[in-house]
Amino acid sequence: LIIATWAVYYMQAKANFQQACEKIRDAGYPITYAELNEWYKLPPGEENAADSILDALSFHNEWDSETVRTLVHDEPYDPDTLQLAEQYTADNKEMIDLLHEAAKIKHAKYPIRLTYGSSFDYKYLGDIKRAIQTLTIAAHVRAENDQPEKAIDTLETMTAISHSLSNEPILISQLVCIACDAITVTTAQRVISRCDLSDTQLQRLEGMIKKMQIHSPISMSYIGSRCAIISEIEDGTYLRNFSIKGWLNVAFVATKVTGVAYNDVVIDLELLTDAINVSSLSLTEQVKSVESIQKKIESLGSTHWFAKKTMSPIPRVIQRGLRCATHLRTAQTAIAAQRWRLKNGTLPENLNQLVPGYLDEPPIDPFDGNPLRYKKTEKGFIIYSIGENKIDEAGLAKKWEDIVFEIKQKTK
């Protein structure tokens, strides 16, 4: 009776798992690493931007990291710092020029093979982030020297380089893309503050921000995560990426043999599909969906501790993507306000005045459904979101995750 009960439960659990896999495949997504490797590829006949980017990165002239950090974050540059930044830019001119050329190529696929599992060489991700920092310093130099066209060219190149990762179905790649987008938005903020941009130049920046908003990085990464979970449970190595060893591995083997692990994987796949579907919603609806996913994970009982362990990071990761998307919204709104000021000689009294001439609809803070906060300052203005803690801190950026876009009047 015990054996018969186990056999029925196991077969039902395995059948549910296979059914969940086929549902994903029927929706047009891969379910194994081999399928993922075939799914993530260049369009036929297209040039590969990744080859040109990797070639450019080989010309990086590395400086002391503390000096580079100073050049990225100091604002505004004093004469000595500007001279140092100009020297750094000159030392990396060949790489910068090659990156500008690589940015003109539309499609990219980096040389990783997903067939063999989730152990990849991620060195190029660190190189890309360093390249973004180098381009940031170049943009600062051009802004300080009142070269707005060249500064905007550099910002557009930064966007293209970071978004060369946009189709990579790996979580760490998408987190790097998000980090690079954050650097680009902060750099754009500084360029607007330090240069007298024309309306045409502001529209170029607006177009760049809109392109950045199209990308939904977290959903792409979870397409790869589903393949990882499916492949690894089939290979018997489901938990190797979660640093679970010793008796817990034995416990997992036991749960797999009994069928419990297959039921947990079905839960994992459902939660990952929910996370992927989040990207098709408005930002306000995404916030609500993240809260719903969080509640689902918290409601899992002790018998589903494997699912709870593996899925618990999902809400935090989606929140990171939401912060980035909201930051882009504040940037787009700030550019619209700056265009208003350029035309009318004064700042708008409220953000509703930007509709419909500069924005299609009033800019909403997705974290509470109210308008984005807008505040005039002595030097310019601030547009900000209250963020996931839903506490209005008056736009005073105290932490890296604060979502604030500030434009200051140029002072030199």
Side-chain angles (χ1 to χ4, degrees):
L1 181 60
I2 292 173
I3 293 173
T5 302
W6 162 77
V8 170
Y9 181 85
Y10 178 85
M11 287 188 292
Q12 184 62 53
K14 190 71 180 287
N16 290 340
F17 166 71
Q18 291 171 342
Q19 185 178 12
C21 291
E22 289 307 313
K23 186 177 179 180
I24 294 170
R25 183 178 275 151
D26 290 344
Y29 293 105
I31 65 170
T32 66
Y33 277 126
E35 292 176 11
L36 184 65
N37 194 62
E38 180 62 22
W39 186 78
Y40 170 52
K41 62 182 180 181
L42 283 175
E46 291 289 342
E47 187 178 0
N48 189 359
D51 294 337
S52 299
I53 292 170
L54 292 173
D55 180 53
L57 297 178
S58 67
F59 291 93
H60 182 232
N61 190 339
E62 192 166 350
W63 278 31
D64 172 70
S65 59
E66 190 59 38
T67 302
V68 173
R69 194 176 297 110
T70 298
L71 296 178
V72 169
H73 296 292
D74 270 15
E75 181 183 3
Y77 284 163
D78 60 37
D80 290 340
T81 306
L82 176 58
Q83 185 176 9
L84 191 64
E86 288 172 335
Q87 182 60 53
Y88 178 80
T89 303
D91 285 355
N92 284 284
K93 183 178 184 304
E94 187 167 7
M95 182 185 80
I96 293 169
D97 290 344
L98 289 171
L99 288 174
H100 281 307
E101 290 302 311
K104 298 175 184 177
I105 304 172
K106 187 175 181 180
H107 299 283
K109 182 182 186 299
Y110 287 90
I112 59 171
R113 287 187 60 80
L114 302 166
T115 307
Y116 303 113
S118 55
S119 297
F120 310 119
D121 181 3
Y122 295 127
K123 181 181 180 297
Y124 65 94
L125 296 177
D127 292 340
I128 286 174
K129 196 166 182 181
R130 281 187 287 275
I132 294 296
Q133 289 178 326
T134 300
L135 290 166
T136 295
I137 296 168
H140 290 176
V141 167
R142 287 159 179 170
E144 294 293 334
N145 290 325
D146 203 18
Q147 299 174 314
E149 284 292 326
K150 290 184 177 180
I152 296 171
D153 287 343
T154 305
L155 286 168
E156 290 177 337
T157 295
M158 291 170 68
T159 301
I161 300 307
S162 65
H163 282 244
S164 67
L165 298 168
S166 63
N167 290 323
E168 202 154 279
I170 304 169
L171 179 57
I172 189 172
S173 300
Q174 299 306 327
L175 292 176
V176 168
C177 186
I178 288 172
C180 291
D181 276 354
I183 295 171
T184 302
V185 171
T186 302
T187 307
Q189 172 181 287
R190 180 162 170 173
V191 168
I192 296 170
S193 294
R194 303 297 291 167
C195 295
D196 292 321
L197 299 181
S198 67
D199 188 67
T200 300
Q201 291 166 338
L202 287 169
Q203 287 186 66
R204 276 185 67 190
L205 285 178
E206 187 177 54
M208 180 190 83
I209 296 295
K210 286 181 177 178
K211 286 181 181 178
M212 295 167 74
Q213 289 172 317
I214 294 172
H215 179 215
S216 299
I218 300 306
S219 63
M220 183 61 68
S221 68
Y222 284 142
I223 291 170
S225 296
R226 286 192 307 200
C227 294
I229 287 175
I230 293 169
S231 295
E232 291 177 4
I233 191 173
E234 291 290 80
D235 294 340
T237 54
Y238 174 51
L239 296 180
R240 70 183 175 188
N241 287 336
F242 302 102
S243 301
I244 298 179
K245 299 177 181 178
W247 71 268
L248 292 178
N249 271 331
V250 176
F252 172 70
V253 171
T255 56
K256 182 179 176 182
V257 169
T258 59
V260 172
Y262 284 110
N263 280 334
D264 268 23
V265 168
V266 171
I267 294 172
D268 288 354
L269 297 179
E270 289 174 351
L271 287 167
L272 287 170
T273 298
D274 288 346
I276 291 167
N277 292 337
V278 164
S279 64
S280 64
L281 305 174
S282 69
L283 292 185
T284 303
E285 291 172 327
Q286 286 185 38
V287 171
K288 295 177 181 177
S289 293
V290 173
E291 293 171 352
S292 175
I293 291 171
Q294 178 73 51
K295 289 177 181 177
K296 284 184 182 180
I297 295 171
E298 290 173 352
S299 69
L300 293 175
S302 57
T303 56
H304 296 297
W305 71 272
F306 279 109
K308 201 166 189 175
K309 170 73 177 179
T310 54
M311 295 295 103
S312 58
I314 283 183
R316 294 196 301 274
V317 174
I318 300 177
Q319 287 282 16
R320 188 171 294 188
L322 272 169
R323 280 199 299 269
C324 180
T326 306
H327 202 185
L328 291 171
R329 179 173 287 185
T330 64
Q332 183 181 0
T333 306
I335 291 169
Q338 186 73 351
R339 291 181 62 201
W340 170 283
R341 176 161 69 177
L342 195 63
K343 180 180 180 180
N344 297 286
T346 184
L347 286 168
E349 290 303 313
N350 58 70
L351 297 181
N352 287 334
Q353 289 183 280
L354 303 175
V355 181
Y358 300 93
L359 294 173
D360 294 333
E361 56 187 10
I364 299 299
D365 186 339
F367 290 100
D368 68 351
N370 293 318
L372 285 173
R373 277 66 176 174
Y374 166 62
K375 186 171 70 173
K376 297 179 185 179
T377 65
E378 184 179 346
K379 295 182 179 180
F381 65 95
I382 295 173
I383 294 175
Y384 67 96
S385 161
I386 61 171
E388 61 255 46
N389 66 4
K390 300 183 181 179
I391 298 174
D392 190 338
E393 297 176 325
L396 301 175
K398 301 174 183 177
K399 307 178 291 296
W400 68 269
E401 65 264 31
D402 289 331
I403 307 168
V404 179
F405 197 97
E406 180 176 8
I407 293 180
K408 304 174 184 176
Q409 302 225 1
K410 184 173 70 171
T411 56
K412 291 194 176 182

